[in-house]
Amino acid sequence: MARKRPEKSTRTQRLDSSSALSGTPAQYGEVEVLAGTGGETHQIAESDENALTTQQGVPVADDQNTLRIGARGPAALEDFHFREKLFHFDHERIPERVVHARGFGAHGYFENYESLAEITRADLFQRAGQKTPAFVRFSTVAGSKGSADLARDVRGFAVKLYTQEGNWDLVGNNIPVFFIQDPIKFPDLVHAAKPAPDRGFPQAQTAHDNFWDFISLSPESMHMVMWIMSDRTIPRSFRFMEGFGVHTFRLINADGKSTFVKFHWKPKLGLQSVVWNEAVKINGADPDYHRRDLWNAIEMGDYPEWELGLQLFDDAFAEKFAFDILDPTKIIPEEDVPVRRVGRLVLDRRVDNFFAETEQVAFCTQNIVPGIDFTNDPLLQGRNFSYLDTQLKRLGSPNFTHIPINAPKCPVRHFQQDGHMAMHNPTGRANYEPNSWGEEGGPREFPAAGFRSFPAPEEGVKRRTRSETFADHYSQARQFYISQTETEQTHIINALTFELSKVQRVDIRARMVAHLLNIDDELARAVATNLRIETMPSPATAARPTRTDLKPSAALSILRNGPENFAGRTLGVLVTDGVDAKLLAALVKAARKEQVVLKLIAPEVGGVEDSEGTLHPAHEKLEGGPSVLFDAIAVLPSPEGGEMLATFPSARDFVADAVSHCKFVAWVEAARPLFHKAGVAEAMDEGFVPIEKPKDWITFLTVCGKLRYWDRAIPPR
Ligand code: HDE
């Protein structure tokens, strides 16, 4: 209902002398003034259209002062506005997720390339070009909501697809295997990884005794250990990582035929990670590095994209495959079952409200649609219980599907009713079925096309057990390790060394080395040497001997699956007053052509004046824009600027870090004094690209397609 416009001349506002500056008038005595003449920035509603109200819709006249008896007297209990405001504030938080608390989401769509009707009757796969709305939430696992983005951790890759036949949640990770084989171990795994119960630290990291104690007592986790110690757990951005459904699922066609499937998400921009020393520094320089990257990419219209890949196989393959397809600690190498790319996922819309969307989104592995079904992967079966249960705790009501982000975008008709916060309430008399109320009796079962479980025959003895076919814990760990490039193997050795060096109990360190001996002898010996373990332990007792006949798989390496171009990456350009105007203009042009993002870094954020007198505002002041935030750097000072930068520790770090992180460096002659002081002048290798004329930028940006100059050795840290 429209409210009456307040009379301008009768409204009062209280001012203090500082209000014009601060924009937040406080009360130091009362002054009667005309509405709208308050502080310069403090705005007063001129009409009811933007009048502040209480939750009950009552217009609020004063939101700066509580109601009190006398200027220095007690507060009045009848101040309903104050009480309502504080009451709501006190209850603003919902429980953070026990795992995957820190996450970031975005909207988009899935587009199907071709009809997959032969394999599945799932509606979203029926027609070429069909688009299905999607919401994706990426996350880390161990850290709290406020932890830093570049913790060494698995990343969640949870996709909600709002299909015409209900919501399908594919709740995956950026690693295709998991630590454990039985869901009953999940609380133990998570407890061991999270801060210790007595001290409440360490936060968002696995480099501590409890984690490695549990892991070293759980040989089934060794394959996953290889993945988490690789650079997969320090991705450059969500945009450059793969996603995996992990478990084997079923696709069911209209005839009821089942095909086994493993789901993959392949990033269009290729795979890319950072190095550990860089990750540590990024966490300090920009703890929101990954969420900012996703936000910025979408804001710039550079929409992140993944292709959905299917590994499809039948019972015959499952029978002859060396490992159990129900074992979530195993992959099926892409060389054995190729990944068929069937569609693309595009993220083209950022959230409007973080809480409403990213925080309240409720993924449930049990959310599947006709045409998709579960298998007996024990972890998947356990997850199907856990996710629904956790949503009730977090969102507080069985009506969490009424929240827009969780609501299906297809018709929903049922007799479930009432409960906290019920938003959609049935009308009419019938709230049960079967009923005799005819057309007014509400929805009915739909045998023709409703969801039916695949009628897999099941039998067995009821007992607590683990299948014999799950017993090989080392062969695929070894296969992963031998599939890595030398650089990546070095990173795995360094990561294990770092993590185990933080473990105080020497017996736990040795126990891990005993497992590594079952994976790769050189790996185990390198880690043992780095830890200075004087007496090599015996290999851990293995339930099955390690197979050495598994072939390396190129798909498992990040570096073998890079993009070979620099598109979507960021170049940090260090400039000073007097920067060569022509070179800078040519760089801007070349970067635009190659879809590279430029960030100008300058001694002052106000910017620099180029050699022709044009002012270029900087994106970052030098101290706020260390080179760890960029994929490559260009150092373009004027001659005086080069001498000046050489005296700045932050400029020296800018260069030295980029070099030690194997980044490509574009440079002009005037950068030499800085290089000299940064200690890199002696080591200028082919990763340093001199820029003398505008077209040198093309050479540089082409070279940057390799992302890093790995030939520059990184000494173990
Ligand atoms: Fe989860 N997991 N999980 N998980 N998981 C949760 O659900 C759980 C597992 C994954 O962005 C929780 O809503 C059990 C594997 C992602 O909101 C919880 C087991 C994989 C997300 C839960 C697993 C995942 C979660 C916590 C072992 C990769 C974040 C909050 C049986 C395939 C989803 C929540 C988001 C979240 C339980 C193992 C991925 C507690 C019991 C394997 C991406 O229900």
Side-chain angles (χ1 to χ4, degrees):
M1 208 168 63
R3 276 183 219 104
K4 210 171 148 239
R5 191 186 165 95
E7 291 296 325
K8 256 189 169 187
S9 56
T10 60
R11 294 187 67 199
T12 63
Q13 194 213 358
R14 293 143 182 200
L15 278 186
D16 76 295
S17 53
S18 66
S19 65
L21 282 179
S22 67
T24 50
Q27 168 72 23
Y28 300 99
E30 294 195 6
V31 185
E32 288 243 325
V33 290
L34 287 180
T37 60
E40 270 167 22
T41 53
H42 184 75
Q43 304 209 333
I44 299 295
E46 291 288 331
S47 75
D48 60 354
E49 270 165 31
N50 63 343
L52 182 74
T53 74
T54 65
Q55 284 201 55
Q56 303 298 332
V58 176
V60 173
D62 180 346
D63 192 36
Q64 317 303 324
N65 305 290
T66 47
L67 184 66
R68 57 185 64 257
I69 317 302
R72 300 176 59 242
L77 196 57
E78 71 176 58
D79 187 349
F80 59 85
H81 172 48
F82 165 77
R83 276 189 292 126
E84 178 199 85
K85 191 172 171 182
L86 268 283
F87 151 78
H88 198 278
F89 171 77
D90 292 344
H91 300 276
E92 265 175 17
R93 293 288 175 274
I94 60 174
E96 69 170 35
R97 290 163 175 82
V98 185
V99 282
H100 297 266
R102 181 165 179 84
F104 203 65
H107 298 268
Y109 60 88
F110 171 73
E111 185 178 5
N112 194 37
Y113 289 159
E114 54 180 321
S115 171
L116 299 179
E118 271 184 28
I119 309 161
T120 174
R121 54 162 287 214
D123 182 76
L124 78 164
F125 293 126
Q126 297 310 295
R127 292 156 288 273
Q130 183 176 352
K131 287 188 178 173
T132 301
F135 184 78
V136 179
R137 183 175 179 273
F138 301 104
S139 48
T140 50
V141 181
S144 304
K145 262 182 73 177
S147 56
D149 276 353
L150 259 156
R152 176 181 290 283
D153 201 352
V154 182
R155 297 299 183 286
F157 193 128
V159 184
K160 191 180 279 292
L161 292 148
Y162 303 89
T163 88
Q164 284 309 300
E165 286 190 330
N167 288 354
W168 172 34
D169 293 355
L170 184 56
V171 197
N173 278 343
N174 76 331
I175 288 180
V177 288
F178 203 63
F179 293 98
I180 48 172
Q181 294 175 324
D182 192 300
I184 204 167
K185 297 313 297 167
F186 191 65
D188 298 297
L189 166 73
V190 174
H191 287 174
K194 287 260 186 181
D198 54 357
R199 60 211 67 189
F201 62 83
Q203 173 63 243
Q205 54 181 301
T206 51
H208 56 92
D209 285 66
N210 280 11
F211 179 75
W212 288 103
D213 185 25
F214 178 83
I215 289 294
S216 63
L217 294 169
S218 310
E220 71 206 66
S221 64
M222 288 309 141
H223 187 193
M224 182 74 168
V225 164
M226 288 295 105
W227 285 82
I228 61 168
M229 292 295 104
S230 80
D231 296 341
R232 297 262 174 175
T233 41
I234 40 174
R236 156 65 176 82
S237 117
F238 300 134
R239 296 184 292 143
F240 309 138
M241 63 185 204
E242 287 178 291
F244 302 92
V246 176
H247 317 284
T248 299
F249 289 84
R250 290 176 188 276
L251 293 178
I252 314 290
N253 72 9
D255 299 329
K257 181 171 173 269
S258 156
T259 307
F260 289 123
V261 61
K262 278 192 181 276
F263 295 106
H264 297 243
W265 295 108
K266 298 279 189 188
K268 188 180 155 199
L269 292 168
L271 304 188
Q272 188 185 341
S273 285
V274 299
V275 296
W276 176 241
N277 179 269
E278 200 182 355
V280 170
K281 291 173 178 168
I282 291 173
N283 280 339
D286 184 3
D288 304 309
Y289 192 60
H290 283 161
R291 48 178 65 187
R292 195 187 305 283
D293 174 274
L294 188 61
W295 176 278
N296 286 346
I298 294 176
E299 286 288 275
M300 285 186 306
D302 183 13
Y303 301 137
E305 203 174 309
W306 289 260
E307 284 190 303
L308 176 64
L310 307 182
Q311 276 184 304
L312 298 164
F313 55 97
D314 56 13
D315 288 286
F317 174 85
E319 283 301 315
K320 72 167 201 277
F321 183 54
F323 303 97
D324 196 326
I325 59 137
L326 300 182
D327 177 353
T329 67
K330 304 296 185 298
I331 58 158
I332 300 177
E334 294 188 21
E335 288 75 10
D336 292 358
V337 178
V339 173
R340 175 167 159 192
R341 299 183 184 222
V342 300
R344 63 185 192 129
L345 171 73
V346 180
L347 298 182
D348 61 356
R349 186 159 63 87
R350 62 168 176 79
V351 294
D352 289 326
N353 182 283
F354 179 86
F355 179 82
E357 294 151 80
T358 303
E359 192 58 9
Q360 290 200 120
V361 67
F363 292 96
C364 294
T365 53
Q366 61 161 21
N367 289 355
I368 52 169
V369 292
I372 300 174
D373 209 343
F374 310 116
T375 62
N376 288 345
D377 176 333
L379 224 52
L380 178 57
Q381 304 260 322
R383 294 177 74 199
N384 286 344
F385 162 73
S386 182
Y387 287 67
L388 183 62
D389 188 46
T390 210
Q391 305 313 348
L392 183 61
K393 169 77 181 173
R394 282 192 356 94
L395 298 164
S397 157
N399 293 316
F400 67 83
T401 54
H402 299 195
I403 299 172
I405 193 69
N406 295 320
K409 298 189 195 297
C410 64
V412 173
R413 310 177 199 93
H414 52 72
F415 296 107
Q416 295 161 31
Q417 66 172 36
D418 303 352
H420 285 294
M421 308 292 169
M423 300 291 162
H424 309 302
N425 299 301
T427 52
R429 168 135 192 195
N431 58 354
Y432 58 93
E433 70 86 28
N435 66 52
S436 328
W437 295 98
E439 286 197 355
E440 288 163 26
R444 307 288 167 179
E445 291 161 312
F446 188 34
F451 183 90
R452 282 182 195 276
S453 294
F454 179 71
E458 307 288 0
E459 63 169 325
V461 177
K462 181 166 74 178
R463 60 190 170 123
R464 294 185 185 277
T465 183
R466 184 103 35 122
S467 173
E468 280 287 308
T469 53
F470 283 28
D472 180 337
H473 302 319
Y474 299 106
S475 301
Q476 284 204 344
R478 174 184 171 77
Q479 184 179 32
F480 179 81
Y481 185 70
I482 62 171
S483 301
Q484 306 301 309
T485 61
E486 211 182 317
T487 302
E488 290 169 305
Q489 288 186 339
T490 308
H491 290 181
I492 293 174
I493 293 169
N494 292 348
L496 279 161
T497 303
F498 176 89
E499 297 259 323
L500 295 175
S501 299
K502 295 276 180 184
V503 170
Q504 285 166 359
R505 285 223 353 216
V506 177
D507 57 327
I508 296 176
R509 291 184 209 153
R511 214 190 288 147
M512 270 314 299
V513 172
H515 286 297
L516 297 180
L517 279 166
N518 288 340
I519 296 173
D520 184 90
D521 204 58
E522 277 180 26
L523 163 70
R525 284 180 197 285
V527 174
T529 306
N530 290 350
L531 295 172
R532 200 161 179 172
I533 291 180
E534 303 279 349
T535 315
M536 201 62 176
S538 307
T541 311
R544 292 283 177 279
T546 311
R547 293 178 56 157
T548 51
D549 59 333
L550 302 182
K551 302 236 162 16
S553 163
L556 303 181
S557 152
I558 296 173
L559 296 188
R560 292 199 174 97
N561 294 281
E564 294 296 322
N565 69 61
F566 207 48
R569 272 69 183 180
T570 307
L571 179 67
V573 189
L574 181 53
V575 287
T576 63
D577 278 338
V579 51
D580 186 314
K582 289 208 170 51
L583 284 186
L584 191 57
L587 171 58
V588 171
K589 204 169 142 202
R592 194 171 302 134
K593 187 159 164 273
E594 301 295 321
Q595 295 173 310
V596 171
V597 178
L598 288 189
K599 295 284 180 196
L600 287 193
I601 322 300
E604 289 99 26
V605 75
V608 293
E609 227 176 70
D610 68 22
S611 55
E612 292 172 5
T614 307
L615 182 74
H616 301 270
H619 296 95
E620 296 285 358
K621 175 173 166 57
L622 186 48
E623 284 73 14
S627 62
V628 292
L629 301 181
F630 313 112
D631 295 291
I633 62 164
V635 189
L636 307 182
S638 63
E640 305 75 52
E643 298 287 350
M644 177 186 71
L645 288 180
T647 67
F648 293 174
S650 47
R652 299 201 292 260
D653 286 350
F654 188 89
V655 171
D657 271 349
V659 173
S660 94
H661 300 146
C662 297
K663 288 177 182 169
F664 289 101
V665 181
W667 61 286
V668 293
E669 198 51 40
R672 269 196 199 276
L674 172 60
F675 288 177
H676 190 72
K677 278 280 170 107
V680 304
E682 302 297 304
M684 287 172 64
D685 49 36
E686 284 175 20
F688 284 73
V689 179
I691 305 292
E692 285 156 6
K693 46 196 180 311
K695 78 175 188 358
D696 290 339
W697 288 120
I698 305 293
T699 315
F700 176 67
L701 293 181
T702 308
V703 166
C704 283
K706 297 220 174 318
L707 302 181
R708 300 287 164 109
Y709 184 68
W710 293 117
D711 288 350
R712 196 182 291 146
I714 317 172
R717 290 174 184 272

